[in-house]
Amino acid sequence: MTIRAPFRSPRGISTVVALLAIGAAGCSDVVDSAKNGATKVARQRSVFSLSTGDCYNPNSEKIEGEALAIELVPCDEPHRGQVVGEFDIEEKGEFPGDEAVTAIADERCPAEAGEFAPDTWALPEGVGLSYYTPTAESWATGDRAVSCTYTKESGEFTGSLKAGAKSLKPEQRTYLNGANAVYDALWMNQPEAENVEEDLEGYKAQADAVATALDAHLDGLRGIEGTETGKLRSRLEETAGHWKDAAKAGDAEAFYVAYDPAFTGLDPNDTVAARKELGLATTVPADDAEVWAS
């Protein structure tokens, strides 16, 4: 199961949560525990009822697995997830299978999340994109809905992640659209084979997708004024050339020669100055920092 799609959830009737008294605890502890339990029960909602913007807590500590119900909570209270987009799968007929459903969510949810919270650098640490998707059982009842969520694997965060594209300045929106597309092209086209020799054509296709996204990003950057943005544009123009060389490589050795400077040229640390100039978040996400540090 990929990190982008940890949920497999039959969306239906809410489960019942029992209130358990703690006999060994003091009276006030018992009352507080009962109140907390009653609140949790009152907040139980079917996963079928999730709407964009809802903040929630899963009823299980585990991120992966099936779920029938969640605890809906106010966003100003600590919580583990928020719904950032929804859509219905258009396929008719029989259940297309877990892999097909995941592939659809992989394609659609990043765009949904991008409209809700365009700057992924501004997300709380440890928050990643997840999905609530139909299962074979729920599909048979007519379920076609996918809920895209930002979820914290461990711990909680407070507040809404909402920062829609409409709230951005034109130059901020242009930058984020281009930059997000470049990194989406890099990771969403990653071949399964670990070695280029095993799938040269797959790696070349990835390189071509990144080069195409970079060209579009550069077109957007040319319309943005600023010293640091100009420096970034110059670096990315050189980087785009390396990705194009990788896409045209005649063998694995030629690919490796082009790929090393191509990948290095996408180091997010090199974008910090331009982001600061544009008024965007400037802390490189921990996962990205780790990838380029290695």
Side-chain angles (χ1 to χ4, degrees), residues 170-182:
E171 61 272 20
Q172 292 175 320
R173 182 166 55 249
T174 296
Y175 174 85
L176 290 173
N177 286 344
N180 290 344
V182 169

Side-chain angles (χ1 to χ4, degrees), residues 131-164:
Y131 320 136
Y132 278 107
T133 62
T135 61
E137 292 80 7
S138 68
W139 186 277
T141 68
D143 178 23
R144 300 292 187 272
V146 174
S147 295
C148 312
T149 79
Y150 270 131
T151 307
K152 195 170 177 63
E153 186 172 356
S154 61
E156 299 171 315
F157 61 95
T158 303
S160 174
L161 303 176
K162 176 68 174 177

Side-chain angles (χ1 to χ4, degrees), residues 274-288:
R275 278 178 156 270
K276 182 177 181 180
E277 186 174 71
L278 290 168
L280 297 169
T282 56
T283 301
V284 180
D287 289 344
D288 290 344

Side-chain angles (χ1 to χ4, degrees), residues 202-290:
Y203 277 92
K204 288 172 64 175
Q206 179 197 37
D208 184 63
V210 175
T212 299
L214 268 172
D215 281 344
H217 187 26
L218 287 166
D219 283 343
L221 291 179
R222 292 186 185 100
I224 301 176
E225 297 181 357
T227 301
E228 296 301 333
T229 303
K231 292 178 181 178
L232 175 61
R233 184 176 63 246
S234 296
R235 288 196 298 270
L236 291 181
E237 286 172 347
E238 183 176 353
T239 299
H242 292 307
W243 282 106
K244 291 173 183 176
D245 289 342
K248 296 182 293 183
D251 54 36
E253 183 176 349
F255 182 89
Y256 282 125
V257 169
Y259 184 83
D260 185 54
F263 187 81
T264 301
L266 294 184
D267 187 339
N269 289 287
D270 293 336
T271 70
V272 170
R275 278 178 156 270
K276 182 177 181 180
E277 186 174 71
L278 290 168
L280 297 169
T282 56
T283 301
V284 180
D287 289 344
D288 290 344
E290 183 177 353

Side-chain angles (χ1 to χ4, degrees), residues 20-260:
L20 302 177
I22 305 176
C27 181
S28 62
D29 292 336
V30 171
V31 172
D32 290 342
S33 177
K35 286 181 178 180
N36 292 336
T39 299
K40 184 177 180 65
V41 170
R43 290 176 171 179
Q44 289 299 299
R45 298 290 185 275
S46 163
V47 292
F48 232 162
S49 67
L50 285 172
S51 298
T52 299
D54 284 347
C55 295
Y56 69 93
N57 286 315
N59 286 327
S60 170
E61 288 299 317
K62 297 180 179 179
I63 292 295
E64 298 183 8
E66 296 184 355
L68 293 172
I70 50 84
E71 178 192 5
L72 196 66
V73 301
C75 290
D76 59 2
E77 293 185 13
H79 53 276
R80 291 183 65 191
Q82 183 172 19
V83 182
V84 296
E86 299 175 290
F87 64 90
D88 288 336
I89 296 175
E90 297 178 356
E91 275 75 357
K92 307 294 183 182
E94 296 183 356
F95 182 63
D98 286 339
E99 289 188 5
V101 169
T102 298
I104 293 170
D106 279 343
E107 181 179 358
R108 292 283 303 275
C109 277
E112 296 285 339
E115 284 297 315
F116 192 91
D119 190 356
T120 56
W121 287 33
L123 296 175
E125 184 176 355
V127 169
L129 190 57
S130 304
Y131 320 136
Y132 278 107
T133 62
T135 61
E137 292 80 7
S138 68
W139 186 277
T141 68
D143 178 23
R144 300 292 187 272
V146 174
S147 295
C148 312
T149 79
Y150 270 131
T151 307
K152 195 170 177 63
E153 186 172 356
S154 61
E156 299 171 315
F157 61 95
T158 303
S160 174
L161 303 176
K162 176 68 174 177
K166 292 182 179 179
S167 66
L168 296 170
K169 298 177 182 178
E171 61 272 20
Q172 292 175 320
R173 182 166 55 249
T174 296
Y175 174 85
L176 290 173
N177 286 344
N180 290 344
V182 169
Y183 290 101
D184 285 346
L186 176 64
W187 300 125
M188 294 179 67
N189 292 283
Q190 181 75 18
E192 293 185 5
E194 293 184 5
N195 299 316
V196 175
E197 291 84 353
E198 298 176 17
D199 187 9
L200 177 59
E201 292 306 313
Y203 277 92
K204 288 172 64 175
Q206 179 197 37
D208 184 63
V210 175
T212 299
L214 268 172
D215 281 344
H217 187 26
L218 287 166
D219 283 343
L221 291 179
R222 292 186 185 100
I224 301 176
E225 297 181 357
T227 301
E228 296 301 333
T229 303
K231 292 178 181 178
L232 175 61
R233 184 176 63 246
S234 296
R235 288 196 298 270
L236 291 181
E237 286 172 347
E238 183 176 353
T239 299
H242 292 307
W243 282 106
K244 291 173 183 176
D245 289 342
K248 296 182 293 183
D251 54 36
E253 183 176 349
F255 182 89
Y256 282 125
V257 169
Y259 184 83
D260 185 54

